[in-house]
Amino acid sequence: MTYVLDAVRYIVEPQNWAGPDGIGLRLAQHALYVAISVAVAAVVAVPLGVLIGHTGRGRTLVVAVTGAARALPTFGLLLFVVLLSGLHLAPVIAVLVILAVPPILAATYAGVGAVDHAAVDGARATGFSEWQIARQVEIPLALPLIVGGVRSATLQTIATATIAGYVAQGALGRYLIEGLARHEYATAVVGALLVGGLALVADAGLAVVQAVAAPSGGRLAPGTPLPEGT
Amino acid sequence: MSWLLDNRALVLDLTLEHARLSAVPIVVALLASIPLGWLAHRVRVARLIVLSSFNLVFTIPSLALFVLLPLLLGTRILDDLNVMVALSLYAIAMMLRGAVDGFDHVSPAVRRSATAMGYSRAGLFWTVQLPLAGPVLLATLRVVSVGTVSLLSVAALIGKGGLGYLFTNGFQRDHPAEIVVGIVFVLLVALAFDLVLVLAGRALLPWARLPKEAGAR
């Protein structure tokens, strides 16, 4: 327990937040790596997931590929890529993107595929084009699930970005790696607490986004009077 | 390839250690998630507590958990137990959602008719609910198994990761081939576990036809 107390004391000390090795910079690096990786992954995975969910094609292939991607040890992949390409940020981000794509892709095609057929057929009968159906019917209805996919991708990426510290790319993993290497467990605990805290904050934030993303029709309690003019 | 041949004894040892260290959490997750999942399925408050507490576990990065657990458990950081407890917590957290879904998925009509036919509560559980939840449990367990095998390699950072040793060692010695061997063997262990689960599923759940979307998450 003394490690934890020491770690908390270290974190609440303002001077430890400043400077090139300070908590502030490492926290910002960590958040930035995660934000970039998840954003890139979402740009790749959401359109692909909508396409698969809408057409119902390619599902088997994607299930197989994402399953294999889950088995791929991210840590090994990162070290391998860094050995080949040198110590840059790009390989770290690339590996994190590979990690973040499967959960977003799976949530998107499952969400879009699960949209009530009656709603889709109704839209089609009203004269919506396939593109309009995807954009105005399927995506809004699937949005909470898609955000759920982004949420779990974000958590996994926050966890995995700690190993960037192993290949000297800063971020909160540095505390864990340095602490373990020097047997200074209080330092390692500093990293553990900060990473856990960042994950909790990100998760809570995305939980709110997920609740807001629910289509308004779905949030009306039974018996809620509809607004005027509807 | 020659590196692998020269070091086949080491790779075999690490593979077996990897299989051993990751098998225990997978089994623990299955055993723990059945009663917890059933409870969460039955009792609204339990559902809230169980699901949110394990969501919480899932937000803690694995490396952080590997470091924090010994402080809580009083184990030494290199103990097998430490790594296995940490991975078990993750595996249970991943497994619970599927277990609750599995029990929820059994139609209330089926449950009511079994009760009407005179099934006791225990009989209902063992002969109706559990078998019908089986396919969803199996689908989730396959995801958990793959995730656990892959996650264990991170424990190499604290000096205890089975095949993860090849990653850190290969990196330090600037030897990409060693890392590739590690990745391939992690994939092989994951594949072997998956095969065992699929075969076990076929033997134990001959009626299993996965409900649509069950494996999606």
Side-chain angles (χ1 to χ4, degrees):
Chain A
M1 275 329 259
T2 51
Y3 294 131
V4 178
L5 288 180
D6 288 348
V8 171
R9 225 171 274 140
Y10 185 89
I11 292 172
V12 295
E13 179 65 50
Q15 73 184 50
N16 292 333
W17 282 71
D21 282 333
I23 295 173
L25 181 67
R26 286 177 174 178
L27 194 62
Q29 283 173 326
H30 205 104
L32 188 68
Y33 297 173
V34 171
I36 295 174
S37 315
V38 173
V40 172
V43 167
V44 176
V46 170
L48 193 59
V50 171
L51 189 71
I52 294 165
H54 181 77
T55 60
R57 280 192 208 142
R59 210 176 151 257
T60 331
L61 180 71
V62 170
V63 169
V65 171
T66 53
R70 277 203 182 104
L72 204 61
T74 318
F75 181 43
L77 193 64
L78 176 71
L79 298 189
F80 177 70
V81 173
V82 169
L83 268 197
L84 290 195
S85 65
L87 285 176
H88 306 295
L89 191 54
V92 177
I93 299 286
V95 170
L96 293 179
V97 169
I98 293 174
L99 178 79
V101 163
I104 302 179
L105 185 60
T108 306
Y109 73 65
V112 169
V115 168
D116 192 352
H117 284 295
V120 175
D121 292 342
R124 200 168 278 139
T126 323
F128 277 40
S129 68
E130 294 304 306
W131 164 243
Q132 283 174 318
I133 293 174
R135 211 171 63 90
Q136 295 177 21
V137 179
E138 288 173 331
I139 295 179
L141 287 176
L143 202 56
L145 268 176
I146 298 176
V147 177
V150 171
R151 192 175 158 190
S152 63
T154 305
L155 286 184
Q156 284 181 41
T157 313
I158 289 176
T160 310
T162 50
I163 61 182
Y166 190 77
V167 292
Q169 291 298 326
L172 296 173
R174 285 309 301 165
Y175 292 107
L176 287 156
I177 309 290
E178 285 169 4
L180 285 173
R182 299 183 198 145
H183 299 281
E184 293 169 8
Y185 294 114
T187 309
V189 175
V190 167
L193 292 179
L194 288 171
V195 176
L198 180 63
L200 283 179
V201 170
D203 191 50
L206 284 167
V208 172
V209 175
Q210 204 174 2
V212 173
S216 50
R219 268 186 298 149
L220 290 181
T224 310
L226 291 174
E228 299 276 329
T230 49
Chain B
M1 222 29 194
S2 62
W3 185 90
L4 176 59
L5 287 176
D6 293 342
N7 294 278
R8 54 185 184 275
L10 172 70
V11 173
L12 183 67
D13 270 1
L14 291 172
T15 305
L16 291 178
E17 187 189 19
H18 203 101
R20 182 172 58 84
L21 287 176
S22 47
V24 174
I26 297 168
V27 174
V28 169
L30 177 65
L31 295 181
S33 69
I34 290 175
L36 284 175
W38 186 80
L39 195 69
H41 156 78
R42 291 278 311 216
V43 186
R44 192 177 258 279
V45 184
R47 183 191 204 93
L48 208 67
I49 296 171
V50 162
L51 287 181
S52 52
S53 60
F54 280 94
N55 268 342
L56 195 70
V57 170
F58 212 47
T59 56
I60 306 170
S62 51
L63 188 53
L65 201 59
F66 289 144
V67 173
L68 285 176
L69 262 186
L71 306 178
L72 300 176
L73 293 178
T75 48
R76 278 172 303 128
I77 203 159
L78 280 179
D79 281 351
D80 281 1
L81 186 68
N82 176 29
V83 172
M84 288 194 287
V85 170
L87 285 178
S88 298
L89 287 176
Y90 274 107
I92 295 172
M94 280 192 273
M95 187 71 206
L96 264 180
R97 179 106 300 244
V100 179
D101 284 349
F103 287 118
D104 283 354
H105 160 81
V106 178
S107 118
V110 171
R111 234 174 32 223
R112 280 198 297 271
S113 31
T115 312
M117 286 169 68
Y119 276 83
S120 67
R121 187 169 274 194
L124 180 69
F125 175 78
W126 288 110
T127 55
V128 179
Q129 286 176 302
L130 187 58
L132 285 178
V136 181
L137 287 173
L138 177 66
T140 319
L141 191 63
R142 289 178 62 187
V143 175
V144 169
S145 155
V146 162
T148 305
V149 169
S150 156
L151 195 60
L152 173 63
S153 47
V154 176
L157 281 174
I158 59 165
K160 192 91 216 169
L163 289 163
Y165 171 79
L166 298 179
F167 301 159
T168 47
N169 191 256
F171 184 72
Q172 281 155 9
R173 299 191 320 140
D174 201 359
H175 197 296
E178 186 175 345
I179 300 181
V180 172
V181 169
I183 293 177
V184 170
F185 274 79
V186 169
L187 290 176
L188 288 178
V189 172
L191 193 69
F193 278 21
D194 200 51
L195 203 64
V196 169
L197 289 177
V198 169
L199 292 177
R202 250 184 229 162
L204 296 171
L205 311 164
W207 58 87
R209 286 236 300 304
L210 273 183
K212 206 167 159 265
E213 305 299 345
R217 265 156 63 90

